[in-house]
Amino acid sequence: MSRVKIAPSILAADFADFGAECRAAEAQGADWIHVDVMDGHFVPNITFGPAMCKALRPHVATVMDVHLMIAPVDPFIEAFAEAGADILTAHVEAGPHLHRTLQAIRAAGVKAGVALNPATPAAAVAPVLDMVDLVCVMTVNPGFGGQSFLSSQLPKIAELRRMIGDRPIHLEVDGGVDAATAPRVAEAGADVLVAGSAVFRGGSAAAPAPYGENIRAIRAAAEGVLA
């Protein structure tokens, strides 16, 4: 089994054909499908909501990894859980009661994730580590795909890996991940790599072979440093 999971972000896929894009990415080797939910308030962009996640669910056979870049978060947890999310990730910075938010996610029967923006220190999640299944480190400022990787986040990834220890918690990295940056985040301790344009570049749902080539290249680059 692969030690590193690749989670293509559909933010970089064809918006007119999301169902087919999800199926194509999975057929080409994706481990998870990453869904970026943005509200135009917490981040400067608007993407989609629970209805889109519900529409995608029949097309996702693996894990629907839903990243909530929204504030407030709590009023929408139930809707996204009912839409079929496997993991709901909320941001440390999105509200004053992170512990309550994570409780609500777990109460909805969904795995809980917590995300940190680039300016947020690893210590911010220390009080809730025993409540989460995933920690996501943003290696770009959230809001738009296609941004350049922030290497300043590598020490934070390594610190979080030490903090997690032997807990069964995934350490995810989101932003600017490609075959060049994948070895750096994997070496620092990440085991789930979100990649958007680096996966969907060069292909389409009708001609998805490049997706597979891209996924294999990112995976091989990441796992090469773990050998």
Side-chain angles (χ1 to χ4, degrees):
M1 182 179 293
S2 174
R3 286 174 289 175
V4 174
K5 296 186 184 301
I6 308 299
S9 168
I10 61 167
L11 191 63
D14 180 356
F15 274 42
D17 210 5
F18 271 149
E21 290 277 46
C22 290
R23 297 194 304 272
E26 289 185 331
Q28 292 295 322
D31 299 292
W32 295 3
I33 297 296
H34 188 83
V35 182
D36 287 306
V37 176
M38 305 182 188
D39 63 358
H41 169 70
F42 180 67
V43 292
N45 196 6
I46 298 173
T47 55
F48 22 75
M52 176 62 80
C53 290
K54 184 176 181 179
L56 286 177
R57 182 68 263 189
H59 303 279
V60 178
T62 58
V63 171
M64 184 185 284
D65 177 28
V66 179
H67 181 186
L68 299 177
M69 287 172 270
I70 64 176
V73 175
D74 294 12
F76 300 96
I77 289 170
E78 188 174 345
F80 279 104
E82 290 177 353
D86 293 299
I87 304 170
L88 283 177
T89 296
H91 271 256
V92 171
E93 310 85 4
H97 304 296
L98 178 61
H99 189 280
R100 179 182 294 162
T101 298
L102 295 171
Q103 280 183 318
I105 293 173
R106 287 201 167 282
V110 180
K111 289 186 176 181
V114 61
L116 302 90
N117 283 338
T120 301
V125 301
V128 298
L129 271 184
D130 289 320
M131 300 180 67
V132 301
D133 302 283
L134 177 145
V135 177
C136 175
V137 177
M138 296 303 301
T139 42
V140 298
N141 285 299
F144 296 93
Q147 298 182 69
S148 296
F149 177 83
L150 296 174
S151 58
S152 61
Q153 301 306 297
L154 290 168
K156 183 194 297 184
I157 297 167
E159 182 179 355
L160 283 162
R161 174 49 64 195
R162 290 191 295 270
M163 290 167 60
I164 289 168
D166 59 1
R167 295 177 177 92
I169 298 173
H170 286 296
L171 182 50
E172 180 177 78
V173 170
D174 183 358
V177 174
D178 55 22
T181 56
R184 302 171 72 191
V185 298
E187 190 170 31
D191 67 320
V192 180
L193 310 188
V194 176
S197 53
V199 167
F200 289 103
R201 184 183 297 118
S204 67
Y211 297 173
E213 295 168 6
N214 296 337
I215 289 169
R216 288 189 293 274
I218 296 168
R219 193 189 309 279
E223 294 190 342
V225 299
L226 304 177

